[in-house]
Amino acid sequence: MIVLVQSFELYKYILENNVYPREPSPLKEIRDVTTNHPTYFMSTAPDTAQLMGMLLKLLNAKKAIEIGVYTGYSLLLTALSIPRDAMIIGIDPDREAYEIGLPIFQKAGVEHKINFIESKALPVLDKLLQNQKENEGSFDFAFIDADKDNYLNYHGRLLKLVKVDGLIVFDNTLWGGTVVQPEEDVPGKRKESWTSFIVFNKSISRDQHEQNIRF
Ligand code: SAH
Ligand code: CA
């Protein structure tokens, strides 16, 4: 039997020996300016981001979309990982948080690739779908990192917007590991959205046309 021991020390080792040495300096700057923000923990972890960067490069993604930008760690990671003439749409109703990262996107020379839309995501996806000719099947990559209770709604729309060989990444679907717990044992802060994740995970696993990977 193989037992994978996960510990804070091991994670720290991976970060210090593998992840931080490869982190581009503009991304470290985003991490630094986010540290004192009240919800700093929402930022994408650098190791997760580096995996996403690898996927974006393998896909040769030219058109990406992100739901939930915050101060822009994953947005900047995407902008740095896609070619010069590629673009990413980032959607978030919180412009203030986006503007914390903005000077860093500008300095990194990737602002031209970023189309930030200050809004909740659902109406933006619906608007993109109205312009079917231009947008349907046109995105290579989508990252969903917000508004957990709408994941199924996003999924339905993104299946139309993302091309057949594209990739849709949903964050948080194991909800901190609580999806294996009985509902009554789920800690208070995780109770919200817990049912949404149970329903979402069951629902997308039923679709034979999609490949699912969880990590
Ligand atoms: N990907 C980001 C973290 C996102 S945190 C990073 O790497 O830093 C979640 C973000 O989702 C918050 O900034 C919040 O304002 C945004 N959000 C909340 N509801 C939303 C909605 N309905 N549509 C789009 N974004 C939403
Ligand atoms: Ca996240």
Side-chain angles (χ1 to χ4, degrees):
M1 189 170 76
I2 298 170
V3 181
L4 179 66
V5 182
Q6 289 194 353
S7 63
F8 179 72
E9 287 74 17
L10 183 58
Y11 184 50
K12 192 163 168 269
Y13 175 88
I14 294 168
L15 287 177
E16 283 171 0
N17 289 280
N18 193 264
V19 177
Y20 291 152
R22 296 166 200 263
E23 186 183 40
S25 58
L27 286 175
K28 179 169 183 336
E29 275 185 60
I30 296 277
R31 248 187 330 115
D32 290 343
V33 296
T34 307
T35 318
N36 293 321
H37 199 260
T39 50
Y40 66 90
F41 51 84
M42 297 202 303
S43 262
T44 300
D47 48 325
T48 310
Q50 284 182 19
L51 173 61
M52 265 174 37
M54 207 185 281
L55 294 171
L56 284 158
K57 285 182 185 153
L58 284 169
L59 266 180
N60 190 21
K62 298 265 170 56
K63 200 171 168 189
I65 186 162
E66 175 173 292
I67 298 177
V69 170
Y70 186 43
T71 58
Y73 194 92
S74 51
L75 185 78
L76 178 57
L77 171 281
T78 306
L80 289 169
S81 304
I82 57 179
R84 239 201 107 64
D85 59 344
M87 62 90 91
I88 169 149
I89 296 176
I91 314 167
D92 199 310
D94 186 356
R95 177 178 285 276
E96 237 174 78
Y98 168 75
E99 283 179 352
I100 295 174
L102 183 58
I104 302 168
F105 314 149
Q106 288 164 339
K107 206 169 70 178
V110 293
E111 195 203 357
H112 68 281
K113 299 185 200 174
I114 297 171
N115 175 9
F116 176 75
I117 303 176
E118 179 187 344
S119 170
K120 290 185 168 193
L122 217 48
V124 175
L125 299 186
D126 283 336
K127 203 160 164 219
L128 287 171
L129 281 168
Q130 275 168 20
N131 193 349
Q132 201 177 351
K133 240 188 170 162
E134 192 179 324
N135 295 315
E136 221 174 274
S138 74
F139 288 84
D140 304 287
F141 184 85
F143 179 44
I144 319 313
D145 194 16
D147 188 22
K148 282 90 187 156
D149 300 326
N150 265 315
Y151 269 27
L152 268 181
N153 290 326
Y154 296 144
H155 182 254
R157 285 152 177 86
L158 288 166
L159 281 185
K160 295 188 192 138
L161 291 167
V162 174
K163 52 178 71 148
V164 173
D165 295 329
L167 196 63
I168 309 175
V169 175
F170 285 92
D171 199 17
N172 306 110
T173 60
L174 302 179
W175 207 214
T178 58
V179 288
V180 296
Q181 292 182 315
E183 192 170 3
E184 58 273 19
D185 294 349
V186 175
K189 70 178 172 69
R190 295 277 180 188
K191 277 207 196 307
E192 199 191 330
S193 305
W194 184 85
T195 313
S196 299
F197 279 115
I198 298 288
V199 174
F200 175 77
N201 289 339
K202 271 219 176 87
S203 165
I204 60 161
S205 302
R206 272 191 228 115
D207 190 336
Q208 300 296 318
H209 302 290
E210 287 174 62
Q211 303 276 344
N212 269 297
I213 309 170
R214 285 168 204 282
F215 46 81

